[in-house]
Amino acid sequence: MTLALLFPGQGSQSVGMGAALADAFPSARSVFAEVDEALGQNLSQLMREGPEDQLTLTENAQPALMSVSVAAMRVLRTEFDFDLAKATYAAGHSLGEYSALCAVGAISLADTARLLKLRGQAMQRAVPVGRGAMASLIGPKTDLALAEEAAKAGSEVGVCVVANDNNNGNVVISGDKAAVDRAIEKAKELGARAIPLNVSAPFHCPLMQPAADEMATALASATIVAPSVAVVANITARPETDPEVIRRLLVEQVTGRVRWRESMEWMAGEGGVTRFAEIGSGKVLTGMAKRIAPDAESTALNTPEELEAFATSF
């Protein structure tokens, strides 16, 4: 068995996430307390009690999702003696790449929290509200080629690119609102369904360059060491362990495409992964894994019971 650990991205947040872990395990509470201290913010209370509209804000959702993922990993290791060496790869969707890097020791928890807080704020500052948009192209005819054709049509009136290649049947486009609207029309002509996303900014497109510049400055002074488990990067869809390469790719990731389908295909194929475990909040990546790599086992680990069952399965 070859194991890969997966870490969810924005959209998986929900009020109450992490509460069961905090109630059950001191190790989880210590993670949430450390994040609160690093940010100078009672993020753990916001996660537990809401309100949802505040938790959903990008600058809160990003460090919150990371903290739940890292808390779950700490519970696995501290409470259930899970050996991280059992994993061959780790990967995270967009902000989840930071969760993965923190979980495997490449970036400290406090630094990861601060970087993600800044990342969320910088992404929000990069584009005035209302100028940008994102849309999910879905349906059996939807694949990367269809999405790129739709984005090409959109780019005739503004910035429009493929932002997230999640899996066949689910590809996200991003850019100027007028351009995304044009791309939606084209996608429908090509046989896809198109759903505008309720997001505060057009992530993973060239309009995010001001945010990438901010992150380049912040990451230049951040301490990054070689991870204990290779992290499959969104930008390359390949495992990376060199700290300087990781630093550069985290900057490129702000404007670049999340190559999730390719990452999963590489892990399930050349990487030989037979078991995927999604660590943290929600089951979004588990659903994608089952579609991309149906022959592999895929499990979401959200609750104390799920974590215990997973740890004792080795």
Side-chain angles (χ1 to χ4, degrees), residues 151-294:
K152 182 179 179 182
S155 65
E156 294 173 3
V157 296
V159 172
C160 188
V161 300
V162 173
N164 302 344
D165 179 15
N166 290 328
N167 56 257
N168 286 334
N170 179 357
V171 184
V172 176
I173 57 173
S174 180
D176 288 303
K177 187 177 186 307
V180 171
D181 288 345
R182 173 74 65 85
I184 287 173
E185 294 175 12
K186 182 64 174 180
K188 290 177 178 177
E189 289 176 17
L190 296 170
R193 290 174 58 207
I195 301 174
L197 297 180
N198 182 22
V199 294
S200 56
F203 305 130
H204 298 291
C205 82
L207 296 176
M208 287 286 109
Q209 187 58 50
D213 294 341
E214 284 196 59
M215 291 309 297
T217 300
L219 285 160
S221 59
T223 299
I224 302 177
V225 301
S228 60
V229 175
V231 175
V232 177
N234 287 183
I235 287 293
T236 62
R238 293 294 185 272
E240 308 290 351
T241 56
D242 183 289
E244 294 313 308
V245 172
I246 290 169
R247 194 187 311 273
R248 172 175 58 82
L249 294 178
L250 287 175
V251 176
E252 293 180 18
Q253 188 221 57
V254 178
T255 56
R257 179 182 301 174
V258 176
R259 295 169 60 187
W260 192 253
R261 174 186 57 82
E262 294 174 81
S263 297
M264 293 293 293
E265 287 177 347
W266 186 90
M267 285 188 280
E270 191 173 335
V273 172
T274 55
R275 189 177 189 184
F276 292 100
E278 181 176 4
I279 315 291
S281 178
K283 302 180 179 181
V284 171
L285 300 184
T286 301
M288 291 182 191
K290 289 177 177 177
R291 289 187 285 273
I292 300 168

Side-chain angles (χ1 to χ4, degrees), residues 11-312:
S12 290
Q13 70 276 357
S14 61
V15 173
M17 66 181 188
L21 296 180
D23 290 344
F25 305 111
S27 56
R29 292 195 293 274
S30 71
V31 169
F32 298 138
E34 189 174 340
V35 170
D36 284 353
E37 183 177 356
L39 298 181
Q41 173 189 5
N42 198 341
L43 185 64
S44 58
Q45 182 179 353
L46 178 61
M47 290 158 51
R48 182 182 284 267
E49 301 176 5
E52 185 176 6
D53 63 337
Q54 291 298 306
L55 179 61
T56 302
L57 289 175
T58 300
E59 66 174 87
N60 292 327
Q62 295 199 21
L65 283 162
M66 180 278 297
S67 68
V68 176
S69 289
V70 173
M73 279 302 305
R74 191 170 290 183
V75 167
L76 277 174
R77 301 182 70 180
T78 304
E79 314 292 343
F80 300 123
D81 296 321
F82 175 76
D83 184 356
L84 192 56
K86 288 183 167 66
T88 304
Y89 302 107
H93 192 284
S94 189
L95 83 89
E97 191 165 316
Y98 284 81
S99 305
L101 289 163
C102 181
V104 298
I107 310 176
S108 74
L109 176 58
D111 282 354
T112 306
R114 286 189 286 260
L115 285 167
L116 282 175
K117 184 76 172 180
L118 173 63
R119 184 177 183 267
Q121 293 170 334
M123 286 176 154
Q124 195 59 67
R125 283 192 290 263
V127 180
V129 174
R131 180 191 165 189
M134 298 181 77
S136 181
L137 310 184
I138 60 176
K141 292 186 177 180
T142 301
D143 59 11
L144 180 59
L146 181 150
E148 287 185 327
E149 188 171 348
K152 182 179 179 182
S155 65
E156 294 173 3
V157 296
V159 172
C160 188
V161 300
V162 173
N164 302 344
D165 179 15
N166 290 328
N167 56 257
N168 286 334
N170 179 357
V171 184
V172 176
I173 57 173
S174 180
D176 288 303
K177 187 177 186 307
V180 171
D181 288 345
R182 173 74 65 85
I184 287 173
E185 294 175 12
K186 182 64 174 180
K188 290 177 178 177
E189 289 176 17
L190 296 170
R193 290 174 58 207
I195 301 174
L197 297 180
N198 182 22
V199 294
S200 56
F203 305 130
H204 298 291
C205 82
L207 296 176
M208 287 286 109
Q209 187 58 50
D213 294 341
E214 284 196 59
M215 291 309 297
T217 300
L219 285 160
S221 59
T223 299
I224 302 177
V225 301
S228 60
V229 175
V231 175
V232 177
N234 287 183
I235 287 293
T236 62
R238 293 294 185 272
E240 308 290 351
T241 56
D242 183 289
E244 294 313 308
V245 172
I246 290 169
R247 194 187 311 273
R248 172 175 58 82
L249 294 178
L250 287 175
V251 176
E252 293 180 18
Q253 188 221 57
V254 178
T255 56
R257 179 182 301 174
V258 176
R259 295 169 60 187
W260 192 253
R261 174 186 57 82
E262 294 174 81
S263 297
M264 293 293 293
E265 287 177 347
W266 186 90
M267 285 188 280
E270 191 173 335
V273 172
T274 55
R275 189 177 189 184
F276 292 100
E278 181 176 4
I279 315 291
S281 178
K283 302 180 179 181
V284 171
L285 300 184
T286 301
M288 291 182 191
K290 289 177 177 177
R291 289 187 285 273
I292 300 168
D295 294 334
E297 177 188 345
S298 301
T299 311
L301 306 180
N302 300 149
T303 68
E305 294 78 16
E306 289 166 344
L307 290 168
E308 183 175 15
F310 172 76
T312 57

